[in-house]
Amino acid sequence: MEAKMRWMVVTALAPVAWGSNYFVTREFLPAGHPLYGAAWRALPAGLVLLALCRRRPRGAWWGKAAVLGLLNVSVFFTLVYLSSQTLPTSLASTVMAASAPAMMLMAWLLVAERPRLPHLAGAGIGLVGVCLMLLTGTEAANATGVLASIAAMLAASCGHVLTKRWAAGADVLASTAWQLTVGGLLLLPAAVAVEGAPPDLTAPAFLAFAYVALIATALAFTVWFAGLRHLPTGTVGLLGLLNPVTGVLLGTVVASETLTAQQVAGLALVLAGVVLGRPTRAERRGDGREPAALSERADPSPPEQADRSASARADQREGRLPATSHEPAGSARRISRGGQAANGVPD
């Protein structure tokens, strides 16, 4: 009954880690190197996960890993790095909150997962909260950073829904590992061609990259993709609203960014949107999420008993057996209530 709620708590670790990533990137990582920053974030994380799972793609999964690695890693990480360097922490993470309705729309289009009314209401309330936080800050928004953040949100929303569609039945750890590895490998030649020699890293920058790669990437993406497998896309998308909450709070507490009363109201609305998107009682039981399993349980009789019952009914029709022979108890009760068996023999 509570398995879905536990998955919500686990999945929520991802947006919290991503919200902290904006602060770490802005404060400790080298500016002007988004391609190297994205590659150094992705490759170590992917290689660590590969060392743990030791599996490789087969068949069509080579192409899928390339597409998902491009969207979820190469494009997304580069744009997030750029937005983190050009926007305040609170603002950069807030723009990404629009991924909630974007994921719902793409899930509807790509995996035929229709959003529930509470999901849509939660997304709407959350977006109002996002607008309050975004439009009332004391620092001016950098247009390049805002556009980069919007583009990152769209790329990730599409990539996450495709992951849900393609990774059904695949090992979550292996799927995440290959997305990160392929995405990092795609970034390296682009970084060399565009940014030239890699930047020198100070000790704080090295530790910051270690945090970003292991916690905000390897751990965060693993629990996020696992959550996509066990929860409705709308619920997972609304959990992403915790990203700006973390970013705003970190920016205020650690980076001394100003938090206005309107931004506090926006935070409250965002949290209300997350609460609205929690799974229903039916979804916590798994109802409506596993139609194949439900159809397998539709007939409670074991296969052997069902076969014997079908054979007995055939013999009944030909007059070789009385109506009650080999019939399941339920069938006998139905005959008794009807007063007459199917072949016309009285009970």
Side-chain angles (χ1 to χ4, degrees):
M1 176 69 75
E2 298 302 319
K4 299 292 184 182
M5 297 303 295
R6 287 196 295 271
W7 274 112
M8 282 189 67
V9 174
V10 172
T11 307
L13 295 175
V16 170
W18 292 335
S20 67
N21 176 65
Y22 291 99
F23 170 76
V24 173
T25 300
R26 180 178 175 85
E27 296 295 325
F28 298 106
L29 300 187
H33 296 276
L35 292 172
Y36 274 115
W40 289 346
R41 175 185 178 183
L43 263 182
L47 294 176
V48 166
L49 294 182
L50 278 181
L52 294 175
C53 68
R54 298 184 181 181
R55 297 183 182 181
R56 63 180 181 179
R58 295 182 181 178
W61 251 104
W62 285 106
K64 293 177 181 179
V67 173
L68 296 177
L70 180 66
L71 289 172
N72 291 333
V73 179
S74 301
V75 174
F76 177 63
F77 285 8
T78 301
L79 292 172
V80 164
Y81 196 99
L82 180 61
S83 66
S84 299
Q85 294 283 347
T86 54
L87 294 175
T89 299
S90 56
L91 193 56
S93 59
T94 296
V95 176
M96 289 296 296
S99 62
M103 283 183 65
M104 293 180 200
L105 176 61
M106 292 182 184
W108 192 357
L109 296 175
L110 297 177
V111 298
E113 185 177 306
R114 188 184 298 270
R116 295 189 298 107
L117 182 59
H119 287 156
L120 295 174
I125 292 173
L127 278 178
V128 172
V130 166
C131 289
L132 285 175
M133 291 189 290
L134 177 62
L135 300 177
T136 60
T138 57
E139 297 187 51
N142 179 284
T144 300
V146 171
L147 290 175
S149 193
I150 293 173
M153 177 268 297
L154 293 174
S157 298
C158 181
H160 293 170
V161 173
L162 286 176
T163 300
K164 182 180 181 72
R165 177 177 181 176
W166 288 343
D171 181 76
V172 172
L173 200 63
S175 170
T176 306
W178 279 103
Q179 289 184 54
L180 292 169
T181 302
V182 172
L185 291 175
L186 291 174
L187 283 166
L188 278 181
V192 173
V194 175
E195 297 176 0
D200 295 328
L201 295 182
T202 63
F206 181 83
L207 293 176
F209 267 120
Y211 170 81
V212 167
L214 298 178
I215 304 301
T217 303
L219 174 63
F221 274 86
T222 299
V223 299
W224 182 259
F225 290 144
L228 277 170
R229 179 171 299 186
H230 292 88
L231 297 170
T233 303
T235 298
V236 177
L238 288 173
L239 286 173
L241 295 173
L242 296 175
N243 184 331
V245 171
T246 305
V248 168
L249 293 178
L250 274 177
T252 302
V253 174
V254 182
S256 300
E257 296 173 5
T258 303
L259 183 67
T260 66
Q262 288 175 309
Q263 286 178 308
V264 173
L267 282 172
L269 289 177
V270 167
L271 293 176
V274 173
V275 172
L276 273 177
R278 70 190 187 278
T280 63
R281 182 176 300 178
E283 288 170 334
R284 290 197 295 268
R285 291 196 307 264
D287 297 347
R289 300 288 298 157
E290 297 174 338
L294 290 177
S295 65
E296 290 170 3
R297 291 192 292 268
D299 182 4
S301 302
E304 305 86 78
Q305 183 176 348
D307 292 342
R308 289 198 301 269
S309 298
S311 176
R313 285 192 294 271
D315 289 341
Q316 263 183 247
R317 287 192 294 270
E318 297 177 11
R320 293 197 296 267
L321 284 175
T324 56
S325 298
H326 298 291
E327 285 290 326
S331 297
R333 285 192 295 270
R334 287 194 296 272
I335 292 171
S336 177
R337 285 193 296 268
Q340 188 171 357
N343 62 356
V345 179
D347 188 10

mmCIF file of all heavy atoms in Angstrom, residues 2-43:
data_model
loop_
_atom_site.group_PDB
_atom_site.id
_atom_site.type_symbol
_atom_site.label_atom_id
_atom_site.label_comp_id
_atom_site.label_asym_id
_atom_site.label_seq_id
_atom_site.Cartn_x
_atom_site.Cartn_y
_atom_site.Cartn_z
ATOM 1 N N GLU A 2 1.913 1.276 0.788
ATOM 2 C CA GLU A 2 2.740 2.467 0.926
ATOM 3 C C GLU A 2 3.978 2.436 0.040
ATOM 4 O O GLU A 2 4.842 3.310 0.165
ATOM 5 C CB GLU A 2 3.159 2.632 2.389
ATOM 6 C CG GLU A 2 1.992 2.838 3.348
ATOM 7 C CD GLU A 2 1.150 4.053 2.971
ATOM 8 O OE1 GLU A 2 1.741 5.086 2.588
ATOM 9 O OE2 GLU A 2 -0.076 3.962 3.052
ATOM 10 N N ALA A 3 4.073 1.473 -0.852
ATOM 11 C CA ALA A 3 5.263 1.377 -1.705
ATOM 12 C C ALA A 3 5.412 2.619 -2.581
ATOM 13 O O ALA A 3 6.517 3.134 -2.776
ATOM 14 C CB ALA A 3 5.202 0.119 -2.561
ATOM 15 N N LYS A 4 4.303 3.114 -3.148
ATOM 16 C CA LYS A 4 4.369 4.290 -4.008
ATOM 17 C C LYS A 4 4.840 5.515 -3.232
ATOM 18 O O LYS A 4 5.604 6.332 -3.751
ATOM 19 C CB LYS A 4 2.996 4.559 -4.629
ATOM 20 C CG LYS A 4 2.458 3.442 -5.514
ATOM 21 C CD LYS A 4 3.275 3.290 -6.782
ATOM 22 C CE LYS A 4 2.656 2.231 -7.695
ATOM 23 N NZ LYS A 4 3.451 2.016 -8.915
ATOM 24 N N MET A 5 4.377 5.645 -1.992
ATOM 25 C CA MET A 5 4.816 6.784 -1.190
ATOM 26 C C MET A 5 6.308 6.709 -0.894
ATOM 27 O O MET A 5 7.007 7.724 -0.891
ATOM 28 C CB MET A 5 4.011 6.836 0.114
ATOM 29 C CG MET A 5 2.511 7.052 -0.081
ATOM 30 S SD MET A 5 2.136 8.567 -0.996
ATOM 31 C CE MET A 5 2.723 9.805 0.148
ATOM 32 N N ARG A 6 6.789 5.491 -0.644
ATOM 33 C CA ARG A 6 8.238 5.351 -0.419
ATOM 34 C C ARG A 6 9.010 5.724 -1.676
ATOM 35 O O ARG A 6 10.079 6.350 -1.587
ATOM 36 C CB ARG A 6 8.553 3.920 0.016
ATOM 37 C CG ARG A 6 8.125 3.600 1.445
ATOM 38 C CD ARG A 6 8.791 2.328 1.948
ATOM 39 N NE ARG A 6 8.362 1.153 1.196
ATOM 40 C CZ ARG A 6 7.318 0.401 1.502
ATOM 41 N NH1 ARG A 6 6.567 0.712 2.555
ATOM 42 N NH2 ARG A 6 7.003 -0.653 0.786
ATOM 43 N N TRP A 7 8.486 5.357 -2.839
ATOM 44 C CA TRP A 7 9.161 5.722 -4.084
ATOM 45 C C TRP A 7 9.130 7.237 -4.300
ATOM 46 O O TRP A 7 10.058 7.799 -4.876
ATOM 47 C CB TRP A 7 8.531 4.996 -5.276
ATOM 48 C CG TRP A 7 9.122 3.639 -5.481
ATOM 49 C CD1 TRP A 7 8.534 2.426 -5.308
ATOM 50 C CD2 TRP A 7 10.472 3.366 -5.904
ATOM 51 N NE1 TRP A 7 9.419 1.415 -5.585
ATOM 52 C CE2 TRP A 7 10.610 1.954 -5.956
ATOM 53 C CE3 TRP A 7 11.562 4.163 -6.237
ATOM 54 C CZ2 TRP A 7 11.804 1.343 -6.326
ATOM 55 C CZ3 TRP A 7 12.759 3.548 -6.605
ATOM 56 C CH2 TRP A 7 12.858 2.164 -6.652
ATOM 57 N N MET A 8 8.071 7.901 -3.839
ATOM 58 C CA MET A 8 8.053 9.362 -3.927
ATOM 59 C C MET A 8 9.179 9.971 -3.107
ATOM 60 O O MET A 8 9.869 10.899 -3.558
ATOM 61 C CB MET A 8 6.705 9.901 -3.439
ATOM 62 C CG MET A 8 5.560 9.780 -4.422
ATOM 63 S SD MET A 8 4.087 10.682 -3.869
ATOM 64 C CE MET A 8 4.643 12.384 -3.956
ATOM 65 N N VAL A 9 9.388 9.458 -1.904
ATOM 66 C CA VAL A 9 10.458 9.987 -1.046
ATOM 67 C C VAL A 9 11.824 9.748 -1.679
ATOM 68 O O VAL A 9 12.680 10.643 -1.712
ATOM 69 C CB VAL A 9 10.373 9.338 0.353
ATOM 70 C CG1 VAL A 9 11.569 9.762 1.211
ATOM 71 C CG2 VAL A 9 9.069 9.716 1.046
ATOM 72 N N VAL A 10 12.029 8.540 -2.193
ATOM 73 C CA VAL A 10 13.311 8.221 -2.826
ATOM 74 C C VAL A 10 13.531 9.093 -4.059
ATOM 75 O O VAL A 10 14.618 9.666 -4.261
ATOM 76 C CB VAL A 10 13.362 6.721 -3.194
ATOM 77 C CG1 VAL A 10 14.604 6.422 -4.039
ATOM 78 C CG2 VAL A 10 13.370 5.863 -1.937
ATOM 79 N N THR A 11 12.512 9.210 -4.902
ATOM 80 C CA THR A 11 12.649 9.994 -6.133
ATOM 81 C C THR A 11 12.890 11.468 -5.830
ATOM 82 O O THR A 11 13.576 12.159 -6.590
ATOM 83 C CB THR A 11 11.383 9.829 -6.993
ATOM 84 O OG1 THR A 11 11.118 8.429 -7.180
ATOM 85 C CG2 THR A 11 11.559 10.481 -8.359
ATOM 86 N N ALA A 12 12.339 11.959 -4.722
ATOM 87 C CA ALA A 12 12.515 13.367 -4.363
ATOM 88 C C ALA A 12 13.973 13.721 -4.093
ATOM 89 O O ALA A 12 14.343 14.904 -4.145
ATOM 90 C CB ALA A 12 11.657 13.705 -3.139
ATOM 91 N N LEU A 13 14.813 12.725 -3.814
ATOM 92 C CA LEU A 13 16.237 13.009 -3.606
ATOM 93 C C LEU A 13 16.862 13.631 -4.849
ATOM 94 O O LEU A 13 17.794 14.448 -4.745
ATOM 95 C CB LEU A 13 16.983 11.724 -3.234
ATOM 96 C CG LEU A 13 16.610 11.067 -1.904
ATOM 97 C CD1 LEU A 13 17.341 9.739 -1.756
ATOM 98 C CD2 LEU A 13 16.937 11.992 -0.739
ATOM 99 N N ALA A 14 16.376 13.254 -6.033
ATOM 100 C CA ALA A 14 16.969 13.751 -7.275
ATOM 101 C C ALA A 14 16.786 15.259 -7.438
ATOM 102 O O ALA A 14 17.782 15.986 -7.619
ATOM 103 C CB ALA A 14 16.398 12.989 -8.470
ATOM 104 N N PRO A 15 15.555 15.795 -7.406
ATOM 105 C CA PRO A 15 15.433 17.250 -7.576
ATOM 106 C C PRO A 15 16.089 18.053 -6.460
ATOM 107 O O PRO A 15 16.554 19.173 -6.699
ATOM 108 C CB PRO A 15 13.916 17.484 -7.614
ATOM 109 C CG PRO A 15 13.306 16.279 -7.010
ATOM 110 C CD PRO A 15 14.223 15.149 -7.345
ATOM 111 N N VAL A 16 16.160 17.500 -5.254
ATOM 112 C CA VAL A 16 16.863 18.196 -4.180
ATOM 113 C C VAL A 16 18.354 18.295 -4.512
ATOM 114 O O VAL A 16 18.985 19.356 -4.354
ATOM 115 C CB VAL A 16 16.640 17.485 -2.834
ATOM 116 C CG1 VAL A 16 17.555 18.062 -1.760
ATOM 117 C CG2 VAL A 16 15.180 17.610 -2.404
ATOM 118 N N ALA A 17 18.930 17.175 -5.000
ATOM 119 C CA ALA A 17 20.346 17.200 -5.392
ATOM 120 C C ALA A 17 20.576 18.137 -6.563
ATOM 121 O O ALA A 17 21.580 18.857 -6.616
ATOM 122 C CB ALA A 17 20.810 15.784 -5.736
ATOM 123 N N TRP A 18 19.653 18.148 -7.524
ATOM 124 C CA TRP A 18 19.809 19.037 -8.680
ATOM 125 C C TRP A 18 19.687 20.504 -8.276
ATOM 126 O O TRP A 18 20.360 21.360 -8.852
ATOM 127 C CB TRP A 18 18.768 18.693 -9.744
ATOM 128 C CG TRP A 18 19.000 17.352 -10.368
ATOM 129 C CD1 TRP A 18 20.185 16.686 -10.467
ATOM 130 C CD2 TRP A 18 18.017 16.495 -10.964
ATOM 131 N NE1 TRP A 18 20.013 15.479 -11.090
ATOM 132 C CE2 TRP A 18 18.685 15.328 -11.403
ATOM 133 C CE3 TRP A 18 16.637 16.592 -11.154
ATOM 134 C CZ2 TRP A 18 18.022 14.282 -12.031
ATOM 135 C CZ3 TRP A 18 15.981 15.553 -11.779
ATOM 136 C CH2 TRP A 18 16.666 14.406 -12.228
ATOM 137 N N GLY A 19 18.817 20.784 -7.299
ATOM 138 C CA GLY A 19 18.729 22.159 -6.829
ATOM 139 C C GLY A 19 20.035 22.639 -6.214
ATOM 140 O O GLY A 19 20.444 23.784 -6.402
ATOM 141 N N SER A 20 20.724 21.737 -5.506
ATOM 142 C CA SER A 20 22.022 22.109 -4.930
ATOM 143 C C SER A 20 23.097 22.241 -6.008
ATOM 144 O O SER A 20 24.077 22.972 -5.826
ATOM 145 C CB SER A 20 22.449 21.068 -3.897
ATOM 146 O OG SER A 20 22.735 19.818 -4.516
ATOM 147 N N ASN A 21 22.913 21.550 -7.121
ATOM 148 C CA ASN A 21 23.903 21.596 -8.194
ATOM 149 C C ASN A 21 24.074 23.008 -8.748
ATOM 150 O O ASN A 21 25.178 23.411 -9.128
ATOM 151 C CB ASN A 21 23.493 20.633 -9.306
ATOM 152 C CG ASN A 21 24.412 20.692 -10.504
ATOM 153 O OD1 ASN A 21 25.587 20.357 -10.424
ATOM 154 N ND2 ASN A 21 23.881 21.137 -11.635
ATOM 155 N N TYR A 22 22.987 23.778 -8.806
ATOM 156 C CA TYR A 22 23.087 25.146 -9.325
ATOM 157 C C TYR A 22 24.014 25.987 -8.453
ATOM 158 O O TYR A 22 24.855 26.734 -8.959
ATOM 159 C CB TYR A 22 21.695 25.788 -9.374
ATOM 160 C CG TYR A 22 20.786 25.190 -10.415
ATOM 161 C CD1 TYR A 22 19.827 24.245 -10.075
ATOM 162 C CD2 TYR A 22 20.884 25.564 -11.753
ATOM 163 C CE1 TYR A 22 18.995 23.688 -11.023
ATOM 164 C CE2 TYR A 22 20.057 25.018 -12.718
ATOM 165 C CZ TYR A 22 19.116 24.079 -12.343
ATOM 166 O OH TYR A 22 18.300 23.523 -13.291
ATOM 167 N N PHE A 23 23.859 25.850 -7.155
ATOM 168 C CA PHE A 23 24.703 26.620 -6.240
ATOM 169 C C PHE A 23 26.167 26.193 -6.356
ATOM 170 O O PHE A 23 27.067 27.035 -6.441
ATOM 171 C CB PHE A 23 24.211 26.441 -4.805
ATOM 172 C CG PHE A 23 25.143 27.006 -3.774
ATOM 173 C CD1 PHE A 23 25.222 28.372 -3.562
ATOM 174 C CD2 PHE A 23 25.960 26.167 -3.032
ATOM 175 C CE1 PHE A 23 26.091 28.903 -2.619
ATOM 176 C CE2 PHE A 23 26.834 26.681 -2.083
ATOM 177 C CZ PHE A 23 26.901 28.053 -1.875
ATOM 178 N N VAL A 24 26.417 24.885 -6.367
ATOM 179 C CA VAL A 24 27.795 24.387 -6.442
ATOM 180 C C VAL A 24 28.449 24.830 -7.743
ATOM 181 O O VAL A 24 29.614 25.275 -7.769
ATOM 182 C CB VAL A 24 27.811 22.852 -6.314
ATOM 183 C CG1 VAL A 24 29.213 22.302 -6.559
ATOM 184 C CG2 VAL A 24 27.324 22.441 -4.929
ATOM 185 N N THR A 25 27.709 24.727 -8.857
ATOM 186 C CA THR A 25 28.269 25.115 -10.156
ATOM 187 C C THR A 25 28.597 26.604 -10.185
ATOM 188 O O THR A 25 29.662 27.013 -10.682
ATOM 189 C CB THR A 25 27.278 24.771 -11.280
ATOM 190 O OG1 THR A 25 27.033 23.361 -11.270
ATOM 191 C CG2 THR A 25 27.834 25.174 -12.637
ATOM 192 N N ARG A 26 27.700 27.419 -9.669
ATOM 193 C CA ARG A 26 27.902 28.876 -9.704
ATOM 194 C C ARG A 26 29.055 29.310 -8.810
ATOM 195 O O ARG A 26 29.846 30.186 -9.178
ATOM 196 C CB ARG A 26 26.608 29.583 -9.277
ATOM 197 C CG ARG A 26 26.692 31.104 -9.277
ATOM 198 C CD ARG A 26 25.347 31.693 -8.877
ATOM 199 N NE ARG A 26 25.411 33.152 -8.742
ATOM 200 C CZ ARG A 26 25.267 34.016 -9.730
ATOM 201 N NH1 ARG A 26 25.063 33.581 -10.957
ATOM 202 N NH2 ARG A 26 25.338 35.316 -9.511
ATOM 203 N N GLU A 27 29.183 28.672 -7.660
ATOM 204 C CA GLU A 27 30.146 29.157 -6.672
ATOM 205 C C GLU A 27 31.543 28.551 -6.814
ATOM 206 O O GLU A 27 32.530 29.190 -6.464
ATOM 207 C CB GLU A 27 29.614 28.867 -5.258
ATOM 208 C CG GLU A 27 28.321 29.600 -4.919
ATOM 209 C CD GLU A 27 28.518 31.106 -4.875
ATOM 210 O OE1 GLU A 27 29.600 31.559 -4.443
ATOM 211 O OE2 GLU A 27 27.578 31.829 -5.269
ATOM 212 N N PHE A 28 31.653 27.305 -7.319
ATOM 213 C CA PHE A 28 32.930 26.597 -7.236
ATOM 214 C C PHE A 28 33.509 26.122 -8.570
ATOM 215 O O PHE A 28 34.711 25.847 -8.638
ATOM 216 C CB PHE A 28 32.780 25.379 -6.310
ATOM 217 C CG PHE A 28 32.410 25.722 -4.901
ATOM 218 C CD1 PHE A 28 31.128 25.505 -4.429
ATOM 219 C CD2 PHE A 28 33.338 26.298 -4.040
ATOM 220 C CE1 PHE A 28 30.776 25.820 -3.133
ATOM 221 C CE2 PHE A 28 32.998 26.619 -2.740
ATOM 222 C CZ PHE A 28 31.715 26.384 -2.280
ATOM 223 N N LEU A 29 32.693 25.975 -9.607
ATOM 224 C CA LEU A 29 33.195 25.409 -10.863
ATOM 225 C C LEU A 29 33.649 26.510 -11.812
ATOM 226 O O LEU A 29 33.143 27.636 -11.763
ATOM 227 C CB LEU A 29 32.129 24.537 -11.517
ATOM 228 C CG LEU A 29 31.663 23.350 -10.672
ATOM 229 C CD1 LEU A 29 30.727 22.455 -11.473
ATOM 230 C CD2 LEU A 29 32.850 22.543 -10.145
ATOM 231 N N PRO A 30 34.618 26.219 -12.696
ATOM 232 C CA PRO A 30 35.198 27.254 -13.558
ATOM 233 C C PRO A 30 34.181 27.817 -14.545
ATOM 234 O O PRO A 30 33.440 27.071 -15.189
ATOM 235 C CB PRO A 30 36.340 26.521 -14.285
ATOM 236 C CG PRO A 30 35.993 25.073 -14.178
ATOM 237 C CD PRO A 30 35.271 24.910 -12.890
ATOM 238 N N ALA A 31 34.145 29.133 -14.669
ATOM 239 C CA ALA A 31 33.225 29.798 -15.591
ATOM 240 C C ALA A 31 33.766 29.736 -17.022
ATOM 241 O O ALA A 31 34.972 29.606 -17.242
ATOM 242 C CB ALA A 31 33.027 31.251 -15.167
ATOM 243 N N GLY A 32 32.856 29.807 -17.982
ATOM 244 C CA GLY A 32 33.261 29.851 -19.378
ATOM 245 C C GLY A 32 33.597 28.518 -19.994
ATOM 246 O O GLY A 32 34.117 28.468 -21.118
ATOM 247 N N HIS A 33 33.326 27.417 -19.298
ATOM 248 C CA HIS A 33 33.642 26.093 -19.833
ATOM 249 C C HIS A 33 32.451 25.140 -19.642
ATOM 250 O O HIS A 33 32.578 24.096 -18.992
ATOM 251 C CB HIS A 33 34.883 25.510 -19.152
ATOM 252 C CG HIS A 33 36.133 26.293 -19.393
ATOM 253 N ND1 HIS A 33 36.920 26.122 -20.519
ATOM 254 C CD2 HIS A 33 36.725 27.282 -18.660
ATOM 255 C CE1 HIS A 33 37.944 26.948 -20.475
ATOM 256 N NE2 HIS A 33 37.856 27.658 -19.347
ATOM 257 N N PRO A 34 31.304 25.446 -20.243
ATOM 258 C CA PRO A 34 30.134 24.579 -20.033
ATOM 259 C C PRO A 34 30.296 23.185 -20.627
ATOM 260 O O PRO A 34 29.762 22.217 -20.065
ATOM 261 C CB PRO A 34 29.002 25.353 -20.723
ATOM 262 C CG PRO A 34 29.684 26.257 -21.703
ATOM 263 C CD PRO A 34 30.980 26.619 -21.083
ATOM 264 N N LEU A 35 31.027 23.067 -21.744
ATOM 265 C CA LEU A 35 31.196 21.746 -22.360
ATOM 266 C C LEU A 35 32.102 20.856 -21.515
ATOM 267 O O LEU A 35 31.788 19.683 -21.273
ATOM 268 C CB LEU A 35 31.741 21.890 -23.777
ATOM 269 C CG LEU A 35 30.781 22.530 -24.789
ATOM 270 C CD1 LEU A 35 31.488 22.814 -26.111
ATOM 271 C CD2 LEU A 35 29.576 21.618 -25.035
ATOM 272 N N TYR A 36 33.220 21.386 -21.066
ATOM 273 C CA TYR A 36 34.085 20.610 -20.172
ATOM 274 C C TYR A 36 33.375 20.321 -18.849
ATOM 275 O O TYR A 36 33.471 19.217 -18.289
ATOM 276 C CB TYR A 36 35.397 21.355 -19.900
ATOM 277 C CG TYR A 36 36.460 21.126 -20.930
ATOM 278 C CD1 TYR A 36 36.921 22.159 -21.730
ATOM 279 C CD2 TYR A 36 37.020 19.850 -21.115
ATOM 280 C CE1 TYR A 36 37.911 21.957 -22.694
ATOM 281 C CE2 TYR A 36 38.007 19.633 -22.076
ATOM 282 C CZ TYR A 36 38.439 20.689 -22.860
ATOM 283 O OH TYR A 36 39.416 20.464 -23.810
ATOM 284 N N GLY A 37 32.655 21.318 -18.330
ATOM 285 C CA GLY A 37 31.937 21.105 -17.083
ATOM 286 C C GLY A 37 30.911 19.994 -17.195
ATOM 287 O O GLY A 37 30.778 19.153 -16.294
ATOM 288 N N ALA A 38 30.192 19.962 -18.326
ATOM 289 C CA ALA A 38 29.199 18.912 -18.529
ATOM 290 C C ALA A 38 29.861 17.551 -18.696
ATOM 291 O O ALA A 38 29.385 16.533 -18.173
ATOM 292 C CB ALA A 38 28.340 19.245 -19.748
ATOM 293 N N ALA A 39 30.971 17.512 -19.447
ATOM 294 C CA ALA A 39 31.665 16.233 -19.669
ATOM 295 C C ALA A 39 32.239 15.689 -18.365
ATOM 296 O O ALA A 39 32.130 14.482 -18.083
ATOM 297 C CB ALA A 39 32.779 16.419 -20.703
ATOM 298 N N TRP A 40 32.837 16.549 -17.555
ATOM 299 C CA TRP A 40 33.425 16.093 -16.286
ATOM 300 C C TRP A 40 32.351 15.726 -15.262
ATOM 301 O O TRP A 40 32.628 14.995 -14.319
ATOM 302 C CB TRP A 40 34.346 17.182 -15.726
ATOM 303 C CG TRP A 40 35.607 17.346 -16.526
ATOM 304 C CD1 TRP A 40 36.099 16.488 -17.464
ATOM 305 C CD2 TRP A 40 36.526 18.440 -16.451
ATOM 306 N NE1 TRP A 40 37.268 16.968 -17.997
ATOM 307 C CE2 TRP A 40 37.562 18.169 -17.392
ATOM 308 C CE3 TRP A 40 36.587 19.611 -15.725
ATOM 309 C CZ2 TRP A 40 38.626 19.034 -17.595
ATOM 310 C CZ3 TRP A 40 37.652 20.473 -15.916
ATOM 311 C CH2 TRP A 40 38.669 20.181 -16.841
ATOM 312 N N ARG A 41 31.173 16.216 -15.457
ATOM 313 C CA ARG A 41 30.064 15.789 -14.608
ATOM 314 C C ARG A 41 29.549 14.411 -15.034
ATOM 315 O O ARG A 41 29.256 13.562 -14.187
ATOM 316 C CB ARG A 41 28.922 16.813 -14.680
ATOM 317 C CG ARG A 41 27.674 16.390 -13.919
ATOM 318 C CD ARG A 41 26.518 17.374 -14.107
ATOM 319 N NE ARG A 41 25.329 16.909 -13.409
ATOM 320 C CZ ARG A 41 24.151 17.531 -13.438
ATOM 321 N NH1 ARG A 41 24.010 18.644 -14.157
ATOM 322 N NH2 ARG A 41 23.116 17.039 -12.773
ATOM 323 N N ALA A 42 29.444 14.180 -16.330
ATOM 324 C CA ALA A 42 28.798 12.965 -16.839
ATOM 325 C C ALA A 42 29.707 11.742 -16.825
ATOM 326 O O ALA A 42 29.312 10.666 -16.350
ATOM 327 C CB ALA A 42 28.288 13.216 -18.257
ATOM 328 N N LEU A 43 30.931 11.883 -17.356
ATOM 329 C CA LEU A 43 31.781 10.703 -17.541
ATOM 330 C C LEU A 43 32.137 9.996 -16.230
ATOM 331 O O LEU A 43 32.008 8.766 -16.137
ATOM 332 C CB LEU A 43 33.050 11.088 -18.307
ATOM 333 C CG LEU A 43 33.030 10.825 -19.813
ATOM 334 C CD1 LEU A 43 34.372 11.201 -20.421
ATOM 335 C CD2 LEU A 43 32.715 9.360 -20.104
#
